[in-house]
Amino acid sequence: MALDVRMFTVGPVQENSFLIRRPDGDRALLVDPGDEAPKLLGAIEALGVTLDAILLTHCHFDHIGAVHPVAQATGAPVYCPEIEVPLLQDIMTYVPWPGFGPFENHDPEHTVAGGERLTLAGFDIDVLFTPGHSPGHVTYAFDGENALFSGDVLFQQSVGRTDLPGGDHATLLASIATLLDRFDDETVVHPGHMGLTTLGAERATNPFLGELSQS
């Protein structure tokens, strides 16, 4: 793969943020900076890269807590799911449990809804609408790289929770089905929590996908 991907597990919810560039490239992308902005900024500085953009899969607080400080420090534009912009603009109102934050609000420079094709940091990226975990959730597919950055859609042996506002289990399974139909089994899933997996591994062993095949 022509991807250099660095995964940083951040914050009390153990969310995965991803720093992506071409091998030895000087431009990079950051997916879902959820927390620990100094850690993420330190990694960007250590690599000596310019951050071309911050890509958000969805706007639950554990995926956006460090958006504002990272954007402020780097000047990188933020691409936010269109339906979920209000959550990014007023984060603490939508934090469902006490003890998290405080997080700073941010006004995104760009919105995505699915169907867009982005060219950033030397990559062509398809934006796919994958709701179910949240209403506006998107997945970023790196063209020709067998790589999905899928937020909280699909995990190792599990799927995203659907008990938060706007979640729907049947919708989530339908979103997963679109990914399985479109991409090869070798496609690497970079999820918002837990470790990396592949579509093939999940197709073969994930009990929720067994449920999908029976529906």
Side-chain angles (χ1 to χ4, degrees):
M1 292 176 64
L3 287 177
D4 177 350
V5 182
R6 314 291 174 100
M7 185 174 83
F8 303 91
T9 302
V10 296
V13 187
Q14 295 290 280
E15 184 264 347
N16 296 329
S17 299
F18 296 96
L19 185 62
I20 309 151
R21 64 170 181 166
R22 292 288 186 195
D24 299 319
D26 61 359
R27 297 155 57 207
L29 303 171
L30 185 64
V31 175
D32 287 356
D35 208 337
E36 299 184 49
K39 179 178 182 177
L40 299 175
L41 290 169
I44 293 166
E45 182 178 2
L47 278 180
V49 293
T50 297
L51 196 62
D52 270 13
I54 296 167
L55 305 179
L56 306 181
T57 62
H58 66 296
C59 288
H60 287 160
F61 75 92
D62 55 318
H63 288 252
I64 61 173
V67 167
H68 185 74
V70 172
Q72 287 288 96
T74 63
V78 175
Y79 289 74
C80 179
E82 183 176 42
I83 296 173
E84 302 188 12
V85 168
L87 282 70
L88 184 61
Q89 294 173 326
D90 190 13
I91 299 176
M92 295 308 300
T93 295
Y94 294 95
V95 175
W97 305 287
F100 295 100
F103 304 115
E104 296 178 84
N105 302 329
H106 192 81
D107 292 317
E109 288 75 16
H110 304 283
T111 61
V112 291
E116 298 88 354
R117 188 170 177 87
L118 310 176
T119 300
L120 297 165
F123 297 105
D124 292 322
I125 304 162
D126 289 321
V127 184
L128 313 175
F129 184 46
T130 51
H133 174 69
S134 70
H137 198 297
V138 299
T139 290
Y140 297 96
F142 280 57
D143 188 35
E145 306 297 341
N146 277 348
L148 298 176
F149 293 84
S150 58
D152 288 359
V153 171
L154 179 64
F155 303 129
Q156 288 178 319
Q157 303 291 296
S158 189
V159 297
R161 62 188 297 171
T162 55
D163 59 339
L164 297 174
D168 183 80
H169 186 68
T171 301
L172 179 68
L173 289 180
S175 292
I176 293 170
T178 66
L179 299 179
L180 291 171
D181 289 344
R182 177 167 175 173
F183 299 100
D184 295 337
D185 281 354
E186 294 75 23
T187 301
V188 179
V189 177
H190 300 75
H193 301 275
M194 299 187 284
L196 304 187
T197 186
T198 65
L199 289 182
E202 298 312 308
R203 189 195 302 274
T205 64
N206 190 313
F208 294 94
L209 304 195
E211 175 188 342
L212 179 63
S213 68
Q214 296 165 14
S215 61

